[in-house]
Amino acid sequence: MALSYILETPCPGFNFENSTRNTVLDGLLSGGKSKTPSPLKTGTTIAGVVCEGGVVLGADTRATSSEVVADKMCAKIHYIAPNIYCCGAGTAADTEKTTELLASNLSIFSLNSGRNPRVVMAAQIVQDMLFRYHGQIGANLILGGVDCAGGHLYTIGPYGDMDKVPYLAMGSGDLAAMAILEDGFKPNMELESAKKLVRDAIHSGIMSDLGSGNNVDICVITRQGVDYIRPYEESVYKDKRYRRYKYKAGTSAVLTERVIPLEVVEETVQSMDTA
Amino acid sequence: MERHTTDSRVKGVSTGTTILAVKFRGGVLIGSDSRASIGGSYVASRVINKLIQVHDRIFCCIAGSLADAQAVTRAAKFQLSFHSVQMDSPPLVKAAASVLRELCYSNKEELQAGFITAGWDKKKGPQVYTVSLGGMLLSLPFTIGGSGSTYIYGYVDAKYKADMSREECLQFATNALALAMGRDNVSGGIIHLVVITEEGAEHIVIPGDKLPKFHDQ
């Protein structure tokens, strides 16, 4: 019937239609002794420090799915705007999509107003969105950036609580990282010392937390620009490949070959008025 | 003040807290501790400011779920500033308290936040209002709230005097908060105080080592 070809524009925002179906399925599957795959969580250590001249953000690069490391080089520092970056802990999909939504909203704002967004604006948009979803979106974010009023660091929790802080750590490794930050932080630190402090904090999270590991990413945001160093430091436990895993051309024998020429039947050119 | 819900039932970060507001001669003083906790065992922030300015001479302090309280005060701030532009005069303290009460009452199923509103306006001078979890609005000469308030009901009932001077009031509030912070595990940190008079609002911070000490310290 023609009804199946009507274009339905999707409603903006997230769609939780499948959540009831998922809970029903979960019940059915557990009855049958099989497990639904658990969502990818970034058991994580992320940290941020406001220093003189800007903000330094850091993160580990391990993404886990229960006890298996799903991604050894996961990028947890997300781009929001040319002057704002965001570290995300919690459910990987939620932090990805939330930060992407935020980035696209802010880029529309930038195009309309002709200026970079202020960090407090990004923080309030995210806070508003997470509050509306009442904690269903499992995103713990550290939002950091530099605008006309200097460097700022905000924390936003999954329920929509926001706090402006000079230094912060989040994720499963936050206790370990926070210990380092509490000990080493001084107001108006120099950029290099701040980078070292964040690196130490993430390193302590990697060493002391099972859910964090692999490499350390650092993102330095200043008035002059952004320096996204990925990786800042590689894991000491990086495994060595003892063989080459590339195969020469011709390793797989070609048994048969059939060429089907595509005939151009009709060609129409419609030029677009781009004036 | 109604009994505060246990922290384990508050979603996310909660300001299990001690908050108070007291009227004195010529003004009003509003104060709080600075601890925000998660699940009653982890301090999410030890320097959070729970005194939120909703207008030039009207402050409110928050208790309960931090996310809910922040969302409500943001909505209230917007409504009050719009209201004051419409009326072309600063809003009444009662109006601020009413806005908070409306928000709390209409959304009582979803929200878990209580407020104390205090301020100064030209019509009635200094005033203190409390808006409870379910949306009850009361006007009082002084009020205490939060989980730590249960430990100081006796102290404030015994020590409060009507028409105190500014210094007496500061001492009264500081002592009350320090006593509550000493006994309640989810209250602590530093003391934030705001003194609101006709001239304006003054923010005073008392760091942890300058808190009044009692017999056991």
Side-chain angles (χ1 to χ4, degrees), chain A residues 81-82 103-117 121:
Chain A
S104 77
N105 278 339
L106 287 181
S107 76
I108 293 176
F109 164 79
S110 288
L111 288 168
N112 276 335
S113 65
R115 59 179 69 180
N116 278 339
M121 177 179 177

Side-chain angles (χ1 to χ4, degrees), chain B residues 41-89:
Chain B
S41 63
Y42 178 67
V43 176
S45 171
R46 51 179 169 30
V47 286
I48 202 165
N49 188 359
K50 301 177 197 177
L51 304 177
I52 309 211
Q53 182 165 27
V54 290
H55 206 263
D56 294 347
R57 283 178 185 69
I58 309 176
F59 276 71
C60 73
C61 44
I62 57 182
S65 158
L66 185 60
D68 291 346
Q70 285 184 340
V72 170
T73 45
R74 276 179 67 188
K77 238 176 161 168
F78 161 74
Q79 285 189 28
L80 278 176
S81 93
F82 188 65
H83 172 69
S84 81
V85 166
Q86 278 185 320
M87 305 299 274
D88 198 24
S89 75

Side-chain angles (χ1 to χ4, degrees), chain A residues 153-174:
Chain A
L153 197 67
Y154 286 89
T155 161
I156 300 128
Y159 288 97
D161 47 271
M162 178 177 90
D163 197 13
K164 184 173 191 301
V165 282
Y167 60 92
L168 180 69
M170 288 197 109
S172 54
D174 67 345

Side-chain angles (χ1 to χ4, degrees), chain A residues 50-107:
Chain A
V50 177
C51 62
E52 187 173 20
V55 170
V56 179
L57 298 172
D60 73 306
T61 59
R62 174 178 290 184
T64 51
S65 180
S66 302
E67 64 283 346
V68 178
V69 175
D71 190 348
K72 288 186 280 194
M73 196 57 182
C74 169
K76 299 185 191 178
I77 307 184
H78 309 279
Y79 167 87
I80 303 287
N83 58 326
I84 305 174
Y85 275 72
C86 179
C87 305
T91 311
D94 287 344
T95 55
E96 263 311 313
K97 280 303 166 189
T98 306
T99 47
E100 273 177 21
L101 255 177
L102 179 64
S104 77
N105 278 339
L106 287 181
S107 76

Side-chain angles (χ1 to χ4, degrees), chain B residues 5 12 17 34 41 52 76 82 103 111 124 127 132 152 185 212 217:
Chain B
T5 53
T17 191
S34 69
S41 63
I52 309 211
F82 188 65
L103 289 165
L111 292 176
K124 284 198 183 154
Q127 295 148 74
S132 73
I152 50 171
N185 71 320
Q217 280 146 340

